[in-house]
Amino acid sequence: MGKSAMLSPEEGGKPRASEPQEAQNSHVELVGIQLKALRLGASRKPRTARWGFAPAAGLVAALLSAWLWKDAAAQKPEEHPQQKPEAMGVATGAPHAAVKDALSRPITAGGFVDGAPMVFVDITKQAGLEKFHHRSGTPEKATILETPGSGVALLDYDNDGWLDIYLLNGSTFGALKGKEPAPRAMLLHNNHDGTFTDVAVIAGCAYSENGHEQAGMGVAVADYDCDGWFDIFKTNFADDTCNLYHNNGDGTFSDVTFSSGIGINNQYVAWGCGFIDFDNDGWPDILQMNGHVYPEIEGHDTGQAYKNPRLVYKNLGDGRFKDVSSEMGPGISERFSSRGAAFGDYDNDGDIDALVLNMNDLPSLLRNDGGNQQNWIKIKLIGTKCNRTAIGARVRVVIGKHAQMDEVHSGSSVMSQSDLRLHFGLGKSQVVDLIEVKWPTTQKVERFTQVKANQILTIREGSGIVATVNAKTK
């Protein structure tokens, strides 16, 4: 039943049509754009209205092929006679199976083959991950409540240059009734030798603040208070709050769910989530998707609903958040049973948008209108010594005494992939004092000073800034 989302824009995309000045609001508003069922060949003019169709051709083509071609199944495929393939090259006999060493690496009599095909080897047990077992009900899955999965995050929580693992867990009816041990999340510390050690209990991120187990759903990672350490936001099942774990910088976390202000909502089954600086003020905010698993719950007096609004928590910059969902426009207030959520600047206009997958419904493309009224910088990294997409690379953006930090993540939220480019809000600042890139594998650091705001930078490992895309006209 899982729903996923992916958001990956192309640089230099066309900007949306500018709106009349009188139609612009002083506050940020996320406008929900319900993606209509398109047909190939149909033309549609862009509109400047809030509910106009956003020009995201590449995104639509990638995500909506299932119903762009919904009539194709009814069409009878053309029949073509089979043709014998033309002979190419000179036959040298039947292909030979690859000879591999004990680690499944292809070898020859002379040694390892340069450029040989890569393989993935399952080292779960050797790495120590066999201690974790995801639980969600019984194996029989007799009810829909037993079917949801849980999120996972890779993060360097202790700043030692090695990625650690945070695994969420579900729950069981027996555990909820106190008849069996409850599953819990695991924080697996990287031992630098290919193995991991579970430290979740002593680190303080295994249970809720009052020591109860929770049925975790989605996870997001960011340095929300800009102290140089990654924090964790976790969504959970209904009748429970989400969790905000603050990284104390000493290998432990504090559950600040209630003291931060996000513990005011506990009526939702929460799914996709993300830290996004929606107003570019330099402090990561939180966007949360909700939706129950039972449509029939609408007919019962439980205080819960199948379709729910989204939630937006604004970062106040002092460790506290404020629920501003009611101020964020129809893209937030409209009700859906949502699952996966991905985040990124799909229209390259300098603010973060969101793509949400909804159960038995159209997806929602939430265009951020007004977030680019403040300045920003966006960074695309290309690895040469490390992996090409620079997964695990860390970037610091410094303006005066305010330092932001983020890493290139692969996968987040709930079964979703967000934009691999890193986005930083700069507030009123028009120049970044320092951009610092720490590359994985080599751990080498590159620094760039006095960088102009409102542009997309492409930085290649070892070569510096190799391309820039100037800001769009607001």
Side-chain angles (χ1 to χ4, degrees):
M1 62 172 282
K3 289 285 184 175
S4 60
M6 181 171 67
L7 193 57
S8 180
E10 295 292 332
E11 290 186 9
K14 294 181 179 179
R16 60 178 180 261
S18 59
E19 299 183 21
Q21 185 64 35
E22 61 269 20
Q24 297 179 359
N25 293 328
S26 59
H27 66 280
V28 178
E29 185 177 75
L30 292 174
V31 180
I33 305 169
Q34 289 307 102
L35 304 181
K36 306 301 181 183
L38 305 178
R39 297 187 182 275
L40 296 179
S43 61
R44 189 162 184 170
K45 296 181 179 179
R47 299 179 296 173
T48 58
R50 291 180 180 177
W51 288 85
F53 186 84
L59 179 66
V60 173
L63 297 174
L64 310 184
S65 59
W67 62 80
L68 282 173
W69 294 90
K70 69 174 185 176
D71 293 333
Q75 300 175 4
K76 187 174 181 180
E78 298 181 13
E79 297 182 357
H80 299 282
Q82 294 186 350
Q83 297 180 356
K84 183 178 180 180
E86 298 180 4
M88 300 179 65
V90 179
T92 59
H96 299 278
V99 179
K100 302 178 181 179
D101 69 358
L103 298 178
S104 297
R105 296 175 297 188
I107 61 174
T108 66
F112 293 104
V113 178
D114 291 335
M118 293 180 292
V119 296
F120 286 91
V121 181
D122 189 341
I123 59 168
T124 303
K125 292 184 178 180
Q126 298 95 309
L129 271 66
E130 85 281 2
K131 298 179 180 66
F132 179 85
H133 183 74
H134 183 268
R135 299 284 301 281
S136 184
T138 63
E140 292 77 20
K141 305 299 179 193
T143 69
I144 195 171
L145 286 174
E146 301 175 280
T147 59
S150 299
V152 59
L154 287 169
L155 72 156
D156 180 7
Y157 79 92
D158 55 354
N159 287 349
D160 64 353
W162 296 75
L163 285 176
D164 310 292
I165 300 173
Y166 188 55
L167 296 167
L168 306 190
N169 215 328
S171 192
T172 65
F173 289 117
L176 294 175
K177 296 178 181 178
K179 296 181 178 180
E180 62 181 59
R184 64 168 177 83
M186 278 193 179
L187 177 63
L188 298 165
H189 176 260
N190 193 323
N191 298 325
H192 308 179
D193 59 2
T195 66
F196 295 82
T197 300
D198 176 27
V199 297
V201 175
I202 61 175
C205 56
Y207 304 105
S208 67
E209 185 177 17
N210 55 10
H212 289 301
E213 76 287 345
Q214 297 173 294
M217 312 296 267
V219 62
V221 174
D223 178 17
Y224 76 85
D225 57 348
C226 298
D227 65 351
W229 301 87
F230 280 124
D231 311 296
I232 299 173
F233 178 77
K234 177 169 70 78
T235 59
N236 297 305
F237 204 77
D239 295 322
D240 200 352
T241 65
C242 295
N243 299 102
L244 182 61
Y245 294 113
H246 173 261
N247 192 327
N248 300 320
D250 59 1
T252 67
F253 291 83
S254 296
D255 189 330
V256 296
T257 301
F258 290 96
S259 61
S260 67
I262 69 165
I264 61 175
N265 294 300
N266 66 351
Q267 68 270 41
Y268 301 118
V269 178
W271 297 83
C273 58
F275 283 100
I276 64 169
D277 185 1
F278 70 82
D279 54 359
N280 282 347
D281 66 351
W283 297 92
D285 312 294
I286 297 173
L287 182 53
Q288 172 187 322
M289 310 305 163
N290 308 300
H292 212 282
V293 296
Y294 278 129
E296 296 81 4
I297 201 171
E298 298 283 357
H300 300 274
D301 186 18
T302 63
Q304 298 181 13
Y306 178 63
K307 294 185 176 182
N308 307 126
R310 289 84 185 232
L311 294 176
V312 180
Y313 296 102
K314 176 174 172 53
N315 191 332
L316 300 180
D318 58 1
R320 296 179 301 123
F321 289 81
K322 178 183 178 181
D323 185 348
V324 295
S325 308
S326 61
E327 307 170 15
M328 300 304 293
I332 298 300
S333 61
E334 277 203 304
R335 294 174 177 265
F336 297 91
S337 184
S338 301
R339 297 296 186 265
F343 309 95
D345 185 7
Y346 86 91
D347 50 359
N348 284 340
D349 68 343
D351 49 33
I352 298 297
D353 313 295
L355 177 68
V356 187
L357 263 290
N358 305 308
M359 287 294 292
N360 303 314
D361 211 328
L362 302 177
S364 301
L365 181 57
L366 308 183
R367 190 185 67 202
N368 185 337
D369 283 351
N372 57 8
Q373 293 178 10
Q374 299 202 79
N375 298 314
W376 54 273
I377 196 79
K378 199 182 309 294
I379 301 171
K380 176 182 179 180
L381 299 178
I382 300 175
T384 55
K385 301 292 185 182
C386 69
N387 61 92
R388 191 177 190 280
T389 49
I391 302 298
R394 178 175 293 196
V395 175
R396 290 180 70 243
V397 170
V398 181
I399 298 175
K401 295 182 179 180
H402 185 64
Q404 301 179 63
M405 176 184 70
D406 202 357
E407 281 187 357
V408 181
H409 300 286
S410 177
S412 60
S413 184
V414 171
M415 296 178 288
S416 304
Q417 175 60 57
S418 294
D419 191 351
L420 291 173
R421 302 175 303 175
L422 302 180
H423 179 98
F424 298 90
L426 306 179
K428 302 300 181 183
S429 300
Q430 297 184 357
V431 176
V432 179
D433 294 331
L434 172 67
I435 295 176
E436 185 177 88
V437 181
K438 184 177 182 180
W439 299 97
T441 306
T442 65
Q443 298 298 305
K444 290 184 177 180
V445 177
E446 294 185 57
R447 295 179 175 86
F448 310 90
T449 59
Q450 300 303 302
V451 180
K452 291 183 179 180
N454 302 328
Q455 58 179 332
I456 303 171
L457 307 179
T458 299
I459 301 176
R460 181 179 289 116
E461 184 177 9
S463 301
I465 299 174
V466 296
T468 62
V469 176
N470 293 328
K472 299 284 193 321
T473 302
K474 296 181 181 180

